[in-house]
Amino acid sequence: MTHPELIARLEKFFAENKSPSNKIVPTSFNPNDPILRGFPIPLDWKWTSCEQSLISFKSTGVMMRLPLFWQLEIPLFNACKNSGSFIFVSDRGNMPLAAEAIRTARIDCVVTDTEDADAFSSFLAEKSAPKPRSWIIIHRAILPSTPLPHIAGDVGAQEVHLFPGVPILVQCNVLHSLDTALFHVHPDFTWHEESNTVSSCADIPVPLRDYPLPFTIKRIRRCECGQDVVASPTL
């Protein structure tokens, strides 16, 4: 299944389901993508990898700095609720207010993407402002060459999303480290090593079948948690 084939299947799905009872996330990280479509996921989808990270970090307050276009505010709100933390949605352009929230409002975890993590951590260092105790950083699968942000010394988790809200690579508690890019394939997907493609194994309205990853991953070793560890030379 190529990306154009996926777009065709999505168009057919929405033509046949005028009022689909699903949550919709975008098929692109670019709001100006000319072939942008909605990708349906179940209404009860939970961002479990994020929730598990928040529990592991014992987060109190969580700052969301992801683009609102990604449609992850509600899944993150639910992850915060289930982990016992509160959520603060931060305007990415207002870094002074975000820094003040970390200083005064018990914000100890920031959820953002690679680009903003680098910029925001640089801003905090430049202003000698307090840094969050932990980070959850989302890589865009279309930008596998983006360097990891240099925020050494903090604990954190990384994920790679195929589309916004569709995690394809995640980390367990053992792999939570911002200075290494080692992952597990998300349990909702099966990775076909020889073809470097993935297929959905979860019950979703439009399953992916042999969908090519936009970057190469390779199997590294077995993790202490029992899952295979994979890495990408470009991450």
Side-chain angles (χ1 to χ4, degrees):
M1 174 189 287
T2 64
H3 191 69
E5 288 173 340
L6 171 63
I7 297 301
R9 292 193 184 189
L10 290 172
E11 290 178 343
K12 180 180 179 182
F13 172 80
F14 285 110
E16 295 174 349
N17 299 269
K18 299 299 185 181
S19 301
S21 57
N22 302 282
K23 177 177 170 56
I24 306 296
V25 297
T27 58
S28 174
F29 296 94
N30 177 13
N32 298 315
D33 188 333
I35 59 170
L36 172 68
R37 298 293 186 272
F39 186 76
I41 59 177
L43 278 176
D44 60 355
W45 179 79
K46 293 180 174 58
W47 195 358
T48 54
S49 54
C50 179
E51 180 180 324
Q52 290 166 2
S53 295
L54 294 177
I55 293 172
S56 174
F57 301 152
K58 297 180 173 58
S59 299
T60 300
V62 177
M63 178 183 295
M64 173 179 164
R65 292 182 56 81
L66 294 170
L68 295 181
F69 166 71
W70 289 18
Q71 299 294 300
L72 285 178
E73 182 179 354
I74 291 178
L76 180 55
F77 169 81
N78 290 331
C80 290
K81 181 179 178 180
N82 293 336
S83 65
S85 51
F86 67 87
I87 184 174
F88 168 68
V89 179
S90 174
D91 179 354
R92 286 162 69 98
N94 194 343
M95 290 190 184
L97 179 60
E100 185 64 11
I102 293 173
R103 189 180 73 83
T104 63
R106 297 190 302 144
I107 300 292
D108 55 10
C109 180
V110 173
V111 181
T112 190
D113 62 9
T114 316
E115 180 182 13
D116 179 71
D118 199 23
F120 187 43
S121 61
S122 297
F123 175 86
L124 295 176
E126 178 185 338
K127 301 299 182 181
S128 299
K131 297 172 70 176
R133 183 167 51 85
S134 59
W135 300 75
I136 298 177
I137 298 178
I138 311 303
H139 298 278
R140 310 177 190 205
I142 58 169
L143 296 174
S145 60
T146 301
L148 295 178
H150 299 293
I151 44 182
D154 298 291
V155 296
Q158 301 175 67
E159 298 187 3
V160 180
H161 285 211
L162 193 59
F163 313 129
V166 183
I168 191 70
L169 299 179
V170 295
Q171 293 182 323
C172 66
N173 292 349
V174 178
L175 299 181
H176 284 163
S177 173
L178 290 178
D179 59 358
T180 184
L182 299 176
F183 299 93
H184 302 307
V185 176
H186 194 283
D188 283 351
F189 293 92
T190 298
W191 171 49
H192 311 296
E193 188 170 1
E194 291 186 1
S195 59
N196 196 49
T197 60
V198 293
S199 297
S200 304
C201 53
D203 185 16
I204 60 175
V206 182
L208 299 179
R209 293 288 180 261
D210 297 316
Y211 186 87
L213 289 176
F215 54 89
T216 301
I217 58 176
K218 61 180 181 178
R219 198 183 311 272
I220 302 296
R221 55 177 172 82
R222 199 75 167 173
C223 183
E224 295 174 29
C225 74
Q227 302 178 74
D228 285 336
V229 177
V230 300
S232 170
T234 50
L235 270 176

